[in-house]
Amino acid sequence: MEPGFRLIDSGIVSGLHSQTVWHAIAEAMSPGDAPVLSILRPAEAYVSIGYHVPIETVDEEACGRRGYAIYRRRAGGGPVLCDPSQLFFQVVVPARDAPKRRDHAWARFLGPAVEAFRRLGVDAVLGPGNDVCANGLKVCGTGAAEIGDALVFVGNVIFDFDHQAMAAVLRLPSAEARGEVERLMRRFLVPLPLITGGPRSVDEATEALIEAYAAVFGPPRRDVPSADELRERERLDRLFVDPRWVRADRMTRRPSVKIRSGVGVVLVDDAVVSLVDGRIDRVLLGGGWVPAPGMRDELVRALEGLPLDRGSLDAAVRGALGSSVRGAELVDAIVRANTAWS
């Protein structure tokens, strides 16, 4: 095996190929192959859903109205709006060459992405949940998958982001829930130019990624997909538009929307609870959840600003509602979400 890594810069490709190109590289990888850095941008917007996420997490009618296709990726995570204002990169390595501990693997293969953001003027760190963050703001969403003999680590450089469109394509129970998801996304998911205080080009970001990964893997060798990779891409092009793949039901939907590690919105019927870094940030309660306005107001006052330990939550809910099955359900949902997002 030659030293260094293969660099496959596909430029602008179709939305479908922006998913199937890197999946194909992984499917075709053999244990002795060199690492691959894949870089590309989609020509049009679409929605990508994680491998285990049910199709019900997205509003298919809203996607249809906007002309967004829905593709299911092999990597985990929730629904993501992908569009031409984002540069996507994928690091594909033989699984046998990766550290056995998953946290060490994340650090090794996404550490260079953190360095690339630093080269672009961002005080970036690999934060909890393996998001690339700067001063508590998410600047890059990440994911990982084991595909065949390969491990894949994915991320993006966001030059602009349509928070309203992202909130619109999620299946949410109310306008209040949608508004709260959009509010938190605007607060914590920030495009690169707003972090650096000025524009950055796709070419700058591409070169920063290449240089950062070269410092770890050795020199890049510019390449194009092999014949085996192209055959896999053709197969995956068919699979990724097959309704049986897109609509596969692998898990029960969880009543929450994660924005970044430690931040998200918990949904229990018409109760909307925003969590930010270990505390309740905001509570919105519909009339169907607690009919009496005075009781709703009391519960909101008791919960907002509260730390997310079960004892504090139970005491606040009991103080406002007394013994309540629905109150216990709300506490359980908050605790589960906070644990999952930590």
Side-chain angles (χ1 to χ4, degrees):
M1 183 177 69
E2 294 183 52
F5 65 97
R6 293 174 66 206
L7 170 63
I8 300 179
D9 185 350
S10 301
I12 298 176
V13 298
S14 69
L16 176 60
H17 281 174
S18 74
Q19 289 291 320
T20 58
V21 163
W22 60 270
H23 281 85
I25 293 169
E27 291 280 11
M29 180 164 277
S30 296
D33 287 349
V36 178
L37 174 62
S38 166
I39 299 176
L40 44 75
R41 291 167 62 204
E44 70 277 345
Y46 64 92
V47 173
S48 171
I49 59 176
Y51 182 69
H52 293 287
V53 171
I55 190 70
E56 290 79 15
T57 57
V58 296
D59 186 330
E60 293 182 82
E61 291 186 2
C63 290
R65 288 194 300 271
R66 292 171 177 267
Y68 298 163
I70 302 172
Y71 302 123
R72 180 183 297 280
R73 62 188 183 272
R74 288 285 297 273
V80 179
L81 177 62
C82 305
D83 65 22
S85 64
Q86 301 171 61
L87 177 69
F88 294 93
F89 62 92
Q90 303 88 29
V91 183
V92 189
V93 298
R96 74 173 191 181
D97 296 340
K100 299 303 180 185
R101 281 185 51 174
R102 186 53 62 92
D103 57 336
H104 290 177
W106 279 98
R108 173 167 171 76
F109 298 121
L110 285 180
V114 173
E115 174 58 27
F117 276 94
R118 291 174 180 167
R119 291 167 184 255
L120 294 168
V122 178
D123 187 18
V125 297
L126 189 61
N130 298 304
D131 291 325
V132 180
C133 296
N135 300 318
L137 304 177
K138 181 175 176 178
V139 297
C140 170
T142 65
E146 186 167 355
I147 301 175
D149 290 322
L151 281 180
V152 187
F153 297 84
V154 303
N156 59 348
V157 181
I158 306 170
F159 297 95
D160 195 10
F161 193 76
D162 192 337
H163 300 88
Q164 189 277 330
M166 179 69 245
V169 300
L170 298 176
R171 184 177 296 279
L172 296 169
S174 64
E176 290 78 12
R178 195 174 309 282
E180 193 62 7
V181 168
E182 183 178 345
R183 180 184 75 88
L184 286 185
M185 282 195 297
R186 290 186 183 277
R187 179 177 168 188
F188 289 103
L189 179 58
V190 182
L192 179 65
L194 294 183
I195 296 288
T196 61
R200 290 292 185 272
S201 70
V202 170
D203 287 345
E204 284 180 291
T206 299
E207 287 308 309
L209 286 165
I210 294 170
E211 291 172 2
Y213 277 97
V216 173
F217 289 143
R221 292 181 284 109
R222 291 187 178 271
D223 203 357
V224 296
S226 67
D228 286 345
E229 289 164 345
L230 290 174
R231 279 192 292 271
E232 282 295 332
R233 192 192 71 186
E234 291 176 1
R235 180 183 69 83
L236 292 167
D237 285 348
R238 296 188 294 271
L239 175 66
F240 273 42
V241 297
D242 186 334
R244 292 171 296 180
W245 170 260
V246 177
R247 305 186 67 82
D249 187 11
R250 293 186 174 90
M251 65 178 283
T252 302
R253 183 185 178 202
R254 295 175 180 171
S256 62
V257 177
K258 177 184 174 183
I259 309 299
R260 69 146 168 85
S261 181
V263 176
V265 178
V266 177
L267 307 168
V268 180
D269 297 329
D270 59 352
V272 180
V273 182
S274 296
L275 312 184
V276 174
D277 295 334
R279 290 187 178 272
I280 294 180
D281 185 61
R282 181 178 290 184
V283 179
L284 303 172
L285 297 176
W289 204 85
V290 180
M295 190 177 291
R296 288 202 303 273
D297 293 343
E298 182 179 354
L299 182 56
V300 168
R301 287 194 297 270
L303 288 175
E304 287 188 341
L306 205 64
L308 300 178
D309 63 275
R310 184 177 289 274
S312 298
L313 296 170
D314 280 337
V317 170
R318 283 198 305 270
L321 302 181
S323 179
S324 166
V325 172
R326 300 195 74 192
E329 180 186 1
L330 182 62
V331 170
D332 284 343
I334 292 171
V335 171
R336 283 198 307 270
N338 184 55
T339 301
W341 298 341
S342 298

